[in-house]
Amino acid sequence: MAMLTAKSLSHIIFLLSTLLLQLITNTYAIGVNYGTLANNLPPPAQVAAFLKSQTTINKIKIFDTNADILRAFANTNISVIITAVNGDIPSLTKLPSAQSWVSTHIIPFHPQTIISHVAVGNEIMATADKFLIAQLVPAMKTLNTALKLAGLTHIKVSTPHSLGILSTSEPPSSGRFRRGYDRVIFAPMLQFLKETKSPFMVNPYPYFGFSAKTLNYALFKPNAGIRDKVTGITYTNMFDAQMDAVYSAMKALGYGDVEICVAETGWPSLGDANQPDVNLANAVSYNGNLVKHVTSGKGTPLMPNRRFETYIFSLFNENLKPGSTAERNFGLFRPDFTPVYDIGIMRGRRSAGPTPTPTPAPPSSGSGKKWCVPKSDASDEALQKNIDYVCSLGVDCKPIQAGGACFDPNTIRSHAAYVMNVFYQTSGRHDFDCDFANTGVLTSSDPSHGTCKFIT
C-alpha cells in the first residue's frame, strides 16, 4: 500500500473539513427574526432554551441591541444579528461614538454570545429621509473601523433593504436600483460589502407582491410560470424572481459577486375578512416550501448553486404590532411556545413548549390505554387552533370533514378531540404530547362513538 504523503494527507483533511462545513451549512440554513412588539412574550432566557433544545434554528436576528436577549443567548451556539437602530446612524459616522457604541452594545456580551452581524438601521432607503440615507454608508464604514480597533473583525456590518430599492424588477433580468441612489449610495455600499466580505441584506416578501392570479406563483405551488423574455428563463416562483431582480441590479453596477442575505421573509397565518389568501394553509405553503428551497442548494436561475442565509419573519405572533390583523400573525410560534404550524424546524418530536408540564392521567380503568381529549374548560377558539395546528402537520383530517366517520357531531370540541388524540398517539404517547397549551387531558375512557373510532 502506498504511504500517504504529508501533502496528500493535508489535502484529505482539507476535503473533509470542506465537506463538514457543507454539511453544517446544509443542515442549518434557516434563521428567524425575533421581534418583541408584544406584551405577552416569554422571557428571553426561556426563548433561548426553547430554540436550542426544541428547534434546529441556530440563527436569530433582533431589531435592536436588547441586553436581556444578548445575555440569554450566551453559550447557546445560536448566532445573533443585532441592529443599530435608525436613530443611532448619525452618531455612528463619528469614530469615538462608534467605538462607544461597540463598547456598550457588543463587548459586554462577547464572546459568550455569538454576534455575527450588525445591521445598521432597518430599511433606511424606504424612510425617504435624505439625511439618514446620506449618513448610512459612512456609518457602516465607521462602525466597521470601530469593530476592527476592538479586535472584532469577525463581525460583519450590513444594512437590510426592502425591495423598494429597485426601480424595476420585472422581468428579473431588468432589475435596477433606483436612479440617483444607484451610483451615489449603492455602488459605494456594495464596494464596502465586497471589501469586508459582508452580505447585501434584502427583505423579499412575495406576500406583498402577489395578486389573485399569481398566488400559486408566490406560494411555490404548481403554476404555469412567468417567462423572462430577455433571458428565456421561465420562473416558477416569485421568491426566485425577486432575488434575481436584486442580483441583476447588483450586477449592473459590477457587484454580482457580493453575497446576498435574506434578512426577512414570511407569510402571515391569519388576516382580516378582506384578506382571504392570508391563512394558515398559505403560511405553511410559503414558509415550508421556502425552507426546502433555500436549503436545497439549487440557488436561483441567475444564481445557480448559491445558498442564501435566510431569516424567516417571525419567531412569535406580536400582539402590539400596528396595522392589519396579518401584521400581528407572522409568527411561527405563539407566546406559549406552541407552534402556529410546523415547517420542519422542530427537533425530534414536536412539543408544546420548552418545559412542558405533564397533565396527570386519571386512574386507569385496567386496559392501560389512554386517549387525549380536550379539557372541559378549553375554549372553542383554543381548540380550533389545535385543529389547525395538527392538520397543518400533514395528519389525515379527512375523518372530521363532511362525510367523514368523525364529522358528527359537527362541533369544534368533537373534531378537536379526534385530531388531538391522533397527534398524541402518533407522537410517542408522552404526557406532554397531550398538553396543547394546557387545553388537553388524558383519559382512560375510550371516546370512540358510532363509526368514529379513536386510535390507540
Side-chain angles (χ1 to χ4, degrees):
M1 178 182 290
M3 295 290 290
L4 282 173
T5 65
K7 185 176 181 180
S8 61
L9 183 60
S10 64
H11 182 63
I12 291 171
I13 292 172
F14 171 76
L15 289 176
L16 289 174
S17 300
T18 303
L19 178 61
L20 179 61
L21 181 61
Q22 288 176 340
L23 287 172
I24 292 171
T25 305
N26 289 349
T27 305
Y28 300 112
I30 297 297
V32 66
N33 284 270
Y34 177 5
T36 55
L37 288 176
N39 59 12
N40 58 354
L41 297 183
Q46 288 186 18
V47 176
F50 172 70
L51 291 183
K52 181 177 174 63
S53 64
Q54 301 287 339
T55 78
T56 57
I57 291 170
N58 73 341
K59 298 175 175 67
I60 65 166
K61 174 173 164 282
I62 61 177
F63 295 90
D64 51 23
T65 55
N66 186 305
D68 291 335
I69 292 177
L70 292 179
R71 276 191 291 268
F73 280 84
N75 304 310
T76 60
N77 288 322
I78 296 174
S79 66
V80 184
I81 294 179
I82 62 175
T83 300
V85 296
N86 295 5
D88 288 343
I89 290 175
S91 66
L92 288 176
T93 61
K94 304 173 183 66
L95 185 57
S97 296
Q99 288 179 293
S100 176
W101 193 93
V102 170
S103 295
T104 301
H105 299 295
I106 295 181
I107 290 177
F109 312 102
H110 172 80
Q112 289 80 9
T113 300
I114 303 170
I115 298 174
S116 61
H117 303 72
V118 179
V120 178
N122 187 50
E123 298 188 348
I124 294 299
M125 307 304 294
T127 67
D129 184 325
K130 292 185 177 179
F131 175 72
L132 271 187
I133 291 170
Q135 301 292 306
L136 180 57
V137 175
M140 292 167 67
K141 291 181 176 179
T142 307
L143 182 57
N144 185 66
T145 300
L147 288 167
K148 279 186 177 180
L149 292 172
L152 302 171
T153 55
H154 65 286
I155 299 178
K156 305 299 182 183
V157 176
S158 190
T159 183
H161 303 283
S162 74
L163 293 198
I165 58 175
L166 301 179
S167 59
T168 58
S169 60
E170 295 179 5
S173 61
S174 71
R176 297 294 185 271
F177 292 118
R178 286 160 56 187
R179 189 168 294 179
Y181 288 136
D182 50 358
R183 299 289 174 183
V184 176
I185 302 296
F186 288 107
M189 181 186 294
L190 288 163
Q191 179 62 35
F192 164 76
L193 296 175
K194 182 175 182 176
E195 290 171 356
T196 58
K197 295 181 172 58
S198 300
F200 187 66
M201 291 182 169
V202 293
N203 299 339
Y205 275 96
Y207 165 68
F208 291 117
F210 82 95
S211 65
K213 290 182 179 179
T214 59
L215 179 61
N216 285 349
Y217 179 63
L219 295 174
F220 297 91
K221 289 184 175 182
N223 63 92
I226 296 178
R227 187 171 182 269
D228 184 329
K229 295 180 180 178
V230 177
T231 61
I233 294 169
T234 297
Y235 284 83
T236 57
N237 68 81
M238 192 180 292
F239 176 82
D240 278 356
Q242 291 182 343
M243 293 293 285
D244 276 356
V246 172
Y247 168 77
S248 295
M250 295 166 65
K251 187 179 179 184
L253 292 180
Y255 295 99
D257 55 343
V258 172
E259 287 300 314
I260 300 176
C261 169
V262 178
E264 280 184 44
T265 189
W267 197 286
S269 61
L270 181 66
D272 292 318
N274 64 345
Q275 296 176 298
D277 297 316
V278 181
N279 54 53
L280 188 70
N282 287 349
V284 171
S285 180
Y286 179 76
N287 284 324
N289 285 315
L290 172 81
V291 169
K292 293 175 185 175
H293 187 60
V294 298
T295 58
S296 69
K298 292 179 181 178
T300 70
L302 295 184
M303 295 179 283
N305 306 315
R306 277 177 66 168
R307 191 175 299 278
F308 311 105
E309 189 168 320
T310 300
Y311 293 78
I312 292 175
F313 187 85
S314 63
L315 180 56
F316 294 111
N317 284 335
E318 298 172 69
N319 66 353
L320 296 183
K321 286 198 72 178
S324 68
T325 298
E327 287 296 318
R328 294 180 287 279
N329 287 277
F330 271 91
L332 299 176
F333 296 94
R334 302 181 185 94
D336 64 358
F337 294 108
T338 54
V340 178
Y341 52 91
D342 180 40
I343 54 171
I345 59 172
M346 302 304 293
R347 192 183 294 278
R349 291 294 179 183
R350 301 172 184 91
S351 165
T355 51
T357 303
T359 304
S364 172
S365 62
S367 68
K369 294 180 180 179
K370 296 178 185 177
W371 293 265
C372 180
V373 296
K375 282 187 174 180
S376 59
D377 60 351
S379 68
D380 279 358
E381 180 184 9
L383 295 180
Q384 183 61 54
K385 289 179 179 178
N386 293 348
I387 295 170
D388 293 341
Y389 168 59
V390 175
C391 293
S392 75
L393 302 177
V395 169
D396 182 10
C397 289
K398 290 180 182 176
I400 62 170
Q401 295 171 1
C406 298
F407 178 71
D408 291 320
N410 182 17
T411 65
I412 291 176
R413 177 168 295 273
S414 176
H415 293 174
Y418 177 81
V419 299
M420 288 166 66
N421 181 65
V422 171
F423 179 87
Y424 167 73
Q425 303 294 348
T426 58
S427 294
R429 298 191 182 94
H430 305 109
D431 286 357
F432 60 75
D433 289 320
C434 185
D435 185 71
F436 287 98
N438 206 30
T439 61
V441 64
L442 291 169
T443 178
S444 57
S445 300
D446 186 352
S448 299
H449 52 89
T451 60
C452 180
K453 304 300 179 185
F454 278 55
I455 66 170
T456 56

